[in-house]
Amino acid sequence: MTSSGELPINGNGDVVLVRQEVRAAALEAGLSLVDQTKIVTAASELARNALVYAGGGRVRIEIVRNGVRAGLRLTFSDDGPGIPDIEQALVDGWTTGNGLGLGLSGSRRLVDEFDLRSAPGEGTLITVTKWAR
Ligand SMILES: Nc1ncnc2c1ncn2[C@@H]1O[C@H](COP(=O)(O)OP(=O)(O)OP(=O)(O)O)[C@@H](O)[C@H]1O
Ligand SMILES: [Mg+2]
């Protein structure tokens, strides 16, 4: 898979594969080494959240274009319980589990665009984009 595709996130091994595919796609999109690492880190956190809180999910990996700029867009989706209060979930340190509560807030800071849609009982959809500069 290079420019587009969807990967399942159903176990720890899948998180490793997601990291590898995102790294390869980030390189292909022309992201700098630092930016590759940032979006791989964000992808790792979002994949882990899908696994831990939703029991699994999937990610679409796309190279996108905005005029002359290329970028990498990742769309994570799951059919889990959803997030009742999105503002709260994005606060540094907020967790309903055993984590540090930094996955969502940290991911948001690591990318250029961050969109989180969720509702109780309707799963979660998170789209992040990082542009090559
Ligand atoms: N895909 C998801 N489905 C349901 N709830 C989620 C999902 N992702 C995050 N959450 C909720 O948002 C909270 C904050 O997530 P975040 O990733 O920031 O922290 P964490 O996973 O608790 O800890 P950390 O990622 O730092 O180990 C979670 O504790 C959980 O309640
Ligand atoms: Mg997390």
Side-chain angles (χ1 to χ4, degrees):
M1 178 186 55
T2 50
S3 62
S4 176
E6 211 170 45
L7 290 175
I9 304 167
N10 292 317
N12 289 319
D14 291 337
V15 177
V16 175
L17 286 176
V18 166
R19 289 177 64 98
Q20 289 170 352
E21 292 290 342
V22 169
R23 171 72 72 177
L27 181 65
E28 191 182 333
L31 298 192
S32 70
L33 192 54
V34 168
D35 285 349
Q36 289 171 37
T37 300
K38 286 180 179 176
I39 197 156
V40 168
T41 302
S44 196
E45 292 297 331
L46 298 175
R48 196 155 293 289
N49 279 352
L51 199 54
V52 170
Y53 299 107
R58 60 211 79 86
V59 58
R60 176 166 295 281
I61 302 173
E62 294 169 284
I63 293 176
V64 290
R65 220 157 258 290
N66 175 4
V68 296
R69 281 205 305 178
L72 185 63
R73 177 165 295 153
L74 309 176
T75 306
F76 289 84
S77 57
D78 68 58
D79 305 311
I83 300 174
D85 187 336
I86 291 169
E87 288 304 312
Q88 190 174 47
L90 281 164
V91 169
D92 276 351
W94 167 261
T95 179
T96 61
N98 300 310
L100 296 173
L102 292 173
L104 286 178
S105 56
S107 296
R108 177 157 71 165
R109 285 192 290 267
L110 289 170
V111 298
D112 296 317
E113 294 169 24
F114 183 97
D115 183 63
L116 198 175
R117 288 154 202 246
S118 187
E122 294 187 11
T124 298
L125 181 70
I126 302 176
T127 306
V128 299
T129 308
K130 190 96 187 151
W131 295 105
R133 49 197 94 241

